[in-house]
Amino acid sequence: DAKTTQPNSMESNEEEPVHLPCNHSTISGTDYIHWYRQLPSQGPEYVIHGLTSNVNNRMASLAIAEDRKSSTLILHRATLRDAAVYYCILRDAYSGGGADGLTFGKGTHLIIQP
Amino acid sequence: DAGITQSPRHKVTETGTPVTLRCHQTENHRYMYWYRQDPGHGLRLIHYSYGVKDTDKGEVSDGYSVSRSKTEDFLLTLESATSSQTSVYFCAISETRSNQPQHFGDGTRLSIL
């Protein structure tokens, strides 16, 4: 899977929007962009994924750059419960053979101030 | 929340003893995965399964074996535990392999003294 680059940490205030960036300059045409988050002492939790178009769900929005070399996870109104490590992961839609797990980097540690 | 149960949630054991961790799902998903998470390494894939009796190795499979005799259960065994296998172990499931989310259990914290 292609590599992603995320800031080590970000800080935001409660009830404000949060924009978490991810760079993936070597993304291939069949790579989907997935976001997971991991709250303290819990397993990772799926947030959202997309290929080319922006995506929205009940948890967040995903904005994908036109050249697909970067993306942004948007939390529209952060709460204290959103404090977690956020992982941006590329996943080939046609991955075949070999190990097929997710490749987690170090992610972005999001701190929410009350 | 996806129906995934890992057991035990915590275990302390001694070097050289066998250890089996269990992952049980109620979603009837075909794919199941075992990861370990260590400080400074993130999550790494140990083994995965793509059906009953069908398993394959991941990135860090040495010292681990797995079995899947039923769709709902995926067992991870440390034949002879070593201190380097002290870690938090996560099970995950997914409905299909590519491009579908994986759903994770709450983890098993394993300490080997």
Side-chain angles (χ1 to χ4, degrees):
Chain A
D1 291 330
K3 184 178 170 59
T4 63
T5 303
Q6 301 177 250
N8 288 333
S9 65
M10 290 184 63
E11 200 167 308
S12 184
N13 295 319
E14 196 176 11
E15 298 186 4
E16 291 185 356
V18 180
H19 291 234
L20 295 161
C22 181
N23 288 317
H24 28 78
S25 59
T26 61
I27 191 171
S28 75
T30 55
D31 281 334
Y32 277 74
I33 303 158
H34 289 244
W35 283 83
Y36 286 75
R37 71 179 186 181
Q38 187 172 21
L39 280 65
S41 301
Q42 293 187 25
E45 175 187 26
Y46 166 77
V47 178
I48 200 167
H49 76 287
L51 182 63
T52 56
S53 304
N54 295 343
V55 184
N56 300 295
N57 66 20
R58 64 175 179 82
M59 291 181 67
S61 295
L62 176 59
I64 301 172
E66 196 169 332
D67 64 4
R68 300 187 70 237
K69 294 183 185 300
S70 65
S71 60
T72 302
L73 179 70
I74 303 165
L75 307 179
H76 294 285
R77 191 166 170 270
T79 69
L80 295 177
R81 196 191 171 280
D82 291 319
V85 179
Y86 286 78
Y87 299 97
C88 170
I89 299 169
L90 300 184
R91 190 160 171 79
D92 188 346
Y94 300 106
S95 60
D100 196 50
L102 297 169
T103 301
F104 286 81
K106 297 190 186 304
T108 297
H109 183 200
L110 177 63
I111 300 164
I112 305 296
Q113 298 288 355
Chain B
D1 289 343
I4 307 168
T5 304
Q6 291 187 233
S7 59
R9 292 295 315 280
H10 302 271
K11 187 173 181 66
V12 180
T13 191
E14 294 184 346
T15 299
T17 60
V19 177
T20 295
L21 308 183
R22 181 187 184 226
C23 178
H24 178 78
Q25 60 144 330
T26 59
E27 305 297 320
N28 201 36
H29 285 354
R30 180 180 175 187
Y31 293 89
M32 299 186 75
Y33 308 81
W34 277 108
Y35 293 85
R36 61 179 287 177
Q37 185 171 32
D38 305 290
H41 285 281
L43 277 86
R44 293 179 291 174
L45 182 68
I46 305 171
H47 281 279
Y48 70 105
S49 170
Y50 46 97
V52 173
K53 298 192 190 305
D54 292 323
T55 64
D56 206 347
K57 296 179 179 180
E59 177 188 356
V60 290
S61 60
D62 287 349
Y64 301 95
S65 63
V66 290
S67 66
R68 189 157 176 214
S69 59
K70 298 184 290 185
T71 299
E72 57 265 36
D73 288 324
F74 192 32
L75 304 181
L76 177 71
T77 297
L78 291 64
E79 302 288 349
S80 178
T82 68
S83 58
S84 64
Q85 294 175 309
T86 292
S87 187
V88 181
Y89 291 85
F90 289 101
C91 172
I93 65 173
S94 69
E95 196 167 4
T96 61
R97 182 170 63 186
S98 59
N99 194 37
Q100 290 299 314
Q102 292 186 10
H103 301 284
F104 287 79
D106 289 331
T108 293
R109 186 171 295 276
L110 178 62
S111 296
I112 300 164
L113 307 178

